[in-house]
C-alpha cells in the first residue's frame, strides 16, 4: 500500500508526507526490495539494471555503479537464472539503489542467505543507515532484527502491538527476568536464596534458575553464604521471546 | 512515456525473444509467399488450364459439384490485382498472430518473471506503463510488417512480372491493401496487449490466442455456414462472419470479396479497430486495478 502496489480499502499511506503516486521521481526518493526473484530469467543482471535505468530516465552508467556497490560486478553478465538467492537479493538491492534514494524498504532481505550473506546484508544496511538514510526492514527473523535494527515495530494480525527502540521493547517485557547460576554447592546456595524469598529451580544441568532476585542479589547472597560461583548470568529475553509473548493468541492464520 | 518505450524495447532486445520473433516473421512470410505464389500461378491461368493444374493433369471425369466449386474459386481469384494483393500481404496470416503474441508477451512476461513489482515500483502510474507497452507493441508490429512487406513485395513483384502480369504496384487497390495490412499488424498488437492483461498466465494467453486465431477463422466460417443453411437462411448471416477478428482483418485488406456475401473493407476495419480499442481499454483498466503481490 505504501508503494501503490496493493489498493487499500480505506485511507492513504505517505512517504515524507506525499503519496508514492504523487512523487515525481519515486526511484530517487525511495528504493524497495520486495521479491528476490524479480528479473527475467534469460536476461543478465547488468541488462536488468540497464532496463531499470532507462525506465526511470537515469544514465545507464548507474547500472555499473550499483553493481559495484553490492559487489555483483563479477556476475554482472551472467543470466539471472544462474544467480543464487544471495546474488538475487544483491541484484534487488542494486536496483533499489539506482536512484540513490534516502529511504530503502526491504522485505525479508535475509531470506535464503548464507551466514556470510546475512552478515554482508547487515553491514550494508547499517552502513546506509549510518549515512543518514532511513532503512525499513520487515522480517520474521527476529534474532537478525535484534542484531540489525535501531527501532522495532511489532505488528500481528494487522494491528500494531509494540513500537520503540529494541531496548525499550525488550525491557517492556523483562519484568520476569531470571538469573542462571552455576556452583559446585548447589543445595547450600539454593537454601540461602530461598531464605531471602527467591524462587529456585534446577536447570537440568548443574545450575540453578533463580527468579525473584537480580544477579547482584544472587551474587551477594552467595558471598554471604560462602558459596563459590562458576557462572552468574542474567537471562535477558530476546526479541523472539518478547514477540511471542506480545502476540500470543493474536497471530491466527487469516 | 518515451523512457518507458525505450526501456521496453531494451527489455525485448536483451532476451532471445527478439530472434524468435524475427525468425518466425521471416520464415512464415517466405512459406506463405511460396504457397500463395503456387496458387496464384494456377488461378491466373484460363479456367481449363486451372482445372487441369488443380486436378494434377489426370482429370478424367470431374464431378459437377467439384467443377462448380472450382469455377467459383477461379472466378474469385482470377484477377491479377487480387493475386497481387494476396502475394504482397502473404505475411499477414501468421504475421498478425505474431504481433498479437508479442503484445501478450509484453504484458504477461511481467507476471511470468515477477517483474511487475519492479516495473510498477519504478513507474507507479500504471496507465502510462500500459500505454508504453501499447506503443512498443505497435512499433514492433510496424517493424514486423516492414520486414514482411519488403520480402513479399520484392519476391512477389519479381514473380508476377515473370509470369507476365506486371507488378500491379501502380494500382491503388494494391497499395491500399499493403497499407491496410500495416494497420492490421498494429491493431493485432494492441489486441494482444489487452488480451495479455485479461489472461495473466503467459502460457494460457499465448495458447488461447493462437487457437482462437487459427481455429477461429475456419471454425467460425463453418458455424456461420451451418446457421445460414439450417437456421436463418438470410444473407446477412454470412456477412456477420466479419465479427470474428481474424475474418475481420482478412476482409479489411481484401479489395475483392473474400467469401460469399463478405461486407465492404471498411466494415472489417471498423470491427478490428473496435476490438483493438476495447482490448486496450479493458486491459488498462484491469492492470490499473489489480493488486500486485
Amino acid at each position: 500500500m505504501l508503494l501503490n502496489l496493493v489498493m487499500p480499502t480505506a485511507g492513504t499511506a505517505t512517504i515524507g508526507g506525499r503519496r508514492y503516486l504523487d512523487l515525481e521521481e519515486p526511484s530517487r526518493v525511495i528504493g524497495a526490495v520486495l521479491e528476490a526473484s524479480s528479473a527475467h530469467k534469460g536476461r543478465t543482471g547488468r541488462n536488468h539494471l540497464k532496463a531499470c535505468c532507462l525506465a526511470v530516465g537515469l544514465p545507464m552508467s548507474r547500472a555499473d555503479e550499483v553493481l559495484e556497490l553490492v559487489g555483483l560486478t563479477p556476475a554482472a553478465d551472467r543470466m539471472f537464472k544462474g544467480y543464487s538467492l544471495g546474488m538475487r537479493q544483491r541484484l534487488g538491492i542494486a536496483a533499489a539503489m539506482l536512484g540513490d534514494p534516502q529511504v530503502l524498504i526491504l522485505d525479508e532481505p535475509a531470506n535464503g542467505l548464507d551466514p556470510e550473506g546475512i552478515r554482508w546484508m547487515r553491514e550494508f544496511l547499517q552502513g546506509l543507515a549510518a549515512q543518514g538514510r532511513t532503512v525499513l526492514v520487515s522480517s520474521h527473523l527476529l534474532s537478525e532484527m535484534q542484531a540489525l535494527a535501531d527501532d522495532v515495530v511489532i505488528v500481528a494480525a494487522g494491528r500494531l502491538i509494540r513500537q520503540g527502540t529494541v531496548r525499550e521493547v525488550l525491557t517492556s517485557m523483562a519484568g520476569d527476568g531470571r538469573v542462571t547460576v552455576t556452583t559446585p554447592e548447589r543445595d547450600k546456595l539454593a537454601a540461602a536464596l530461598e531464605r531471602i524469598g527467591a524462587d529456585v529451580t534446577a536447570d537440568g544441568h548443574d545450575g540453578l534458575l533463580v527468579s525473584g532476585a537480580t544477579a547482584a542479589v544472587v551474587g551477594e547472597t552467595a558471598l554471604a553464604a560462602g558459596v563459590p560461583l562458576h557462572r552468574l548470568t542474567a537471562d535477558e529475553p530476546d526479541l523472539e521471546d518478547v514477540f511471542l509473548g506480545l502476540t500470543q493468541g493474536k497471530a491466527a492464520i487469516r | 512515456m518515451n523512457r518507458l518505450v525505450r526501456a521496453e524495447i531494451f527489455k525485448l532486445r536483451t532476451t532471445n525473444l527478439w530472434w524468435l520473433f524475427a525468425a518466425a516473421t521471416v520464415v512464415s512470410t517466405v512459406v506463405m509467399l511460396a504457397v500463395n505464389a503456387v496458387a496464384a500461378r494456377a488461378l491466373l491461368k484460363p479456367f481449363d488450364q486451372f482445372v487441369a493444374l488443380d486436378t494434377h493433369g489426370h482429370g478424367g471425369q470431374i464431378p459437377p459439384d467439384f467443377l462448380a466449386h472450382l469455377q467459383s474459386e477461379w472466378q474469385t481469384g482470377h484477377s491479377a490485382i487480387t493475386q497481387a494483393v494476396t502475394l504482397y500481404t502473404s505475411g499477414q496470416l501468421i504475421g498478425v498472430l505474431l504481433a498479437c503474441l508479442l503484445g501478450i508477451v509484453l504484458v504477461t512476461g511481467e507476471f511470468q518473471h515477477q517483474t511487475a513489482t519492479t516495473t510498477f515500483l519504478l513507474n507507479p502510474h500504471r496507465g502510462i506503463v500500459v500505454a508504453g507497452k501499447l506503443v512498443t507493441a505497435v512499433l514492433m508490429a510496424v517493424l514486423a510488417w516492414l520486414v514482411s512487406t519488403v520480402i513479399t513485395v520484392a519476391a512477389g513483384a519479381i514473380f508476377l512480372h515473370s509470369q507476365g502480369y506486371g507488378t500491379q504496384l501502380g494500382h491503388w487497390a494494391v497499395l491500399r491493401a499493403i497499407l491496410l495490412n500495416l494497420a492490421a499488424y498494429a491493431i493485432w498488437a494492441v489486441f494482444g496487449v489487452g488480451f495479455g492483461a485479461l489472461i495473466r498466465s503467459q502460457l494460457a494467453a499465448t495458447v488461447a490466442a493462437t487457437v482462437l486465431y487459427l481455429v477461429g477463422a475456419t471454425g467460425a466460417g463453418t458455424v456461420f455456414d451451418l446457421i445460414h443453411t439450417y437456421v436463418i437462411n438470410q444473407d446477412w448471416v454470412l456477412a456477420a462472419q466479419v465479427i470474428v477478428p481474424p475474418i475481420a482483418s482478412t476482409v479489411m485488406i481484401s479489395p475483392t470479396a473474400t467469401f460469399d456475401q463478405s461486407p465492404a473493407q471498411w466494415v472489417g476495419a471498423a470491427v478490428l479497430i473496435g476490438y483493438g480499442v476495447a482490448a486496450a481499454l479493458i486491459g488498462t483498466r484491469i492492470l490499473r486495478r489489480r493488486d500486485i503481490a
Side-chain angles (χ1 to χ4, degrees):
Chain A
M1 287 183 217
L2 195 57
L3 300 168
N4 196 49
L5 293 172
V6 176
M7 306 300 155
T9 45
T12 51
T14 57
I15 298 151
R18 298 174 75 190
R19 290 191 310 151
Y20 193 67
L21 204 57
D22 296 334
L23 296 172
E24 266 149 45
E25 296 287 357
S27 65
R28 279 127 169 112
V29 178
I30 184 166
V33 188
L34 299 183
E35 271 168 271
S37 60
S38 55
H40 191 290
K41 309 271 176 296
R43 194 177 285 131
T44 65
R46 193 193 302 278
N47 280 339
H48 172 73
L49 292 173
K50 282 185 174 176
C52 293
C53 284
L54 279 174
V56 294
L58 286 165
M60 298 252 241
S61 55
R62 270 302 285 164
D64 302 327
E65 290 169 29
V66 292
L67 279 168
E68 198 62 50
L69 185 69
V70 300
L72 206 54
T73 308
D77 295 316
R78 271 158 59 183
M79 296 266 188
F80 182 74
K81 62 186 163 201
Y83 278 21
S84 69
L85 261 174
M87 291 156 90
R88 289 176 186 206
Q89 283 288 15
R90 285 175 197 237
L91 185 65
I93 293 177
M97 293 302 295
L98 277 174
D100 199 18
Q102 282 301 305
V103 182
L104 204 63
I105 295 180
L106 301 99
D107 183 26
E108 300 286 1
N111 257 10
L113 293 190
D114 54 23
E116 194 192 349
I118 291 180
R119 163 165 286 193
W120 173 82
M121 177 78 66
R122 190 191 304 150
E123 282 167 3
F124 183 77
L125 295 179
Q126 281 172 337
L128 290 177
Q131 291 168 18
R133 296 177 215 250
T134 306
V135 182
L136 175 66
V137 178
S138 81
S139 179
H140 291 97
L141 296 174
L142 298 171
S143 55
E144 180 54 32
M145 287 303 100
Q146 193 170 354
L148 174 68
D150 299 324
D151 300 280
V152 290
V153 175
I154 296 179
V155 177
R159 300 204 164 272
L160 175 67
I161 305 291
R162 196 61 57 100
Q163 178 178 10
T165 64
V166 173
R167 183 122 303 276
E168 280 166 12
V169 171
L170 287 178
T171 51
S172 76
M173 285 295 285
D176 61 342
R178 288 184 309 193
V179 177
T180 308
V181 61
T182 314
T183 169
E185 298 178 55
R186 274 184 15 176
D187 297 340
K188 198 171 169 188
L189 181 61
L193 285 168
E194 272 160 6
R195 271 199 298 281
I196 62 159
D199 191 16
V200 183
T201 49
D203 76 344
H205 304 289
D206 53 354
L208 295 171
L209 288 173
V210 185
S211 48
T214 63
V217 170
V218 173
E220 283 159 13
T221 309
L223 182 64
V227 175
L229 294 185
H230 290 175
R231 193 165 75 103
L232 175 64
T233 46
D235 289 358
E236 286 195 3
D238 61 12
L239 205 50
E240 187 171 284
D241 298 329
V242 174
F243 179 83
L244 291 174
L246 286 171
T247 60
Q248 214 156 35
K250 289 179 186 144
I253 294 169
R254 282 145 296 135
Chain B
M1 184 69 180
N2 193 12
R3 308 168 169 176
L4 280 166
V5 174
R6 287 180 59 199
E8 290 293 343
I9 293 174
F10 183 83
K11 285 197 223 169
L12 280 175
R13 216 152 52 75
T14 49
T15 60
N16 48 17
L17 212 62
W18 180 254
W19 295 108
L20 283 175
F21 273 98
T25 301
V26 171
V27 169
S28 66
T29 301
V30 169
V31 170
M32 289 314 297
L33 183 66
V35 170
N36 287 337
V38 170
R41 192 171 149 264
L43 282 164
L44 289 173
K45 304 261 190 219
F47 185 59
D48 53 341
Q49 288 183 36
F50 167 65
V51 173
L53 271 173
D54 209 68
T55 53
H56 304 287
H58 38 79
Q61 202 57 18
I62 301 167
D65 287 10
F66 187 58
L67 199 63
H69 169 75
L70 287 179
Q71 175 82 29
S72 109
E73 196 184 326
W74 180 79
Q75 264 168 357
T76 317
H78 183 68
S79 138
I81 290 181
T82 304
Q83 290 313 316
V85 166
T86 309
L87 285 170
Y88 294 155
T89 60
S90 290
Q92 194 202 36
L93 181 72
I94 305 297
V96 296
L97 174 62
L98 289 173
C100 178
L101 291 180
L102 187 79
I104 289 175
V105 167
L106 274 177
V107 179
T108 56
E110 296 279 358
F111 299 101
Q112 176 89 355
H113 301 286
Q114 297 173 327
T115 49
T117 314
T118 310
T119 303
F120 288 135
L121 277 179
L122 297 176
N123 292 283
H125 298 276
R126 299 192 191 175
I128 299 177
V129 173
V130 179
K133 289 191 181 291
L134 286 170
V135 171
T136 309
V138 169
L139 284 177
M140 290 299 114
V142 170
L143 194 65
W145 168 85
L146 195 67
V147 170
S148 172
T149 301
V150 165
I151 297 172
T152 52
V153 169
I158 292 170
F159 168 78
L160 281 176
H161 193 74
S162 73
Q163 298 285 308
Y165 302 103
T167 62
Q168 300 293 335
L169 283 169
H171 289 281
W172 171 232
V174 175
L175 291 178
R176 188 176 55 188
I178 292 172
L179 291 176
L180 283 169
N181 192 26
L182 167 63
Y185 272 77
I187 297 170
W188 276 94
V190 170
F191 191 62
V193 171
F195 199 73
L198 203 63
I199 302 180
R200 215 185 323 185
S201 151
Q202 187 155 58
L203 189 67
T206 46
V207 169
T210 310
V211 169
L212 279 179
Y213 179 78
L214 294 178
V215 178
T218 45
T222 315
V223 169
F224 280 90
D225 268 346
L226 286 173
I227 294 175
H228 179 251
T229 313
Y230 296 106
V231 189
I232 315 166
N233 199 347
Q234 307 252 335
D235 286 345
W236 64 260
V237 174
L238 288 180
Q241 284 182 50
V242 77
I243 62 164
V244 181
I247 295 181
S249 56
T250 319
V251 169
M252 179 174 90
I253 62 154
S254 311
T256 52
T258 46
F259 54 90
D260 204 14
Q261 300 300 331
S262 74
Q265 274 177 286
W266 68 265
V267 179
V271 170
L272 211 55
I273 290 170
Y275 276 119
V277 170
L281 288 179
I282 293 170
T284 309
R285 203 180 151 73
I286 290 173
L287 282 181
R288 286 188 67 163
R289 302 243 126 216
R290 185 182 284 158
D291 287 349
I292 305 297

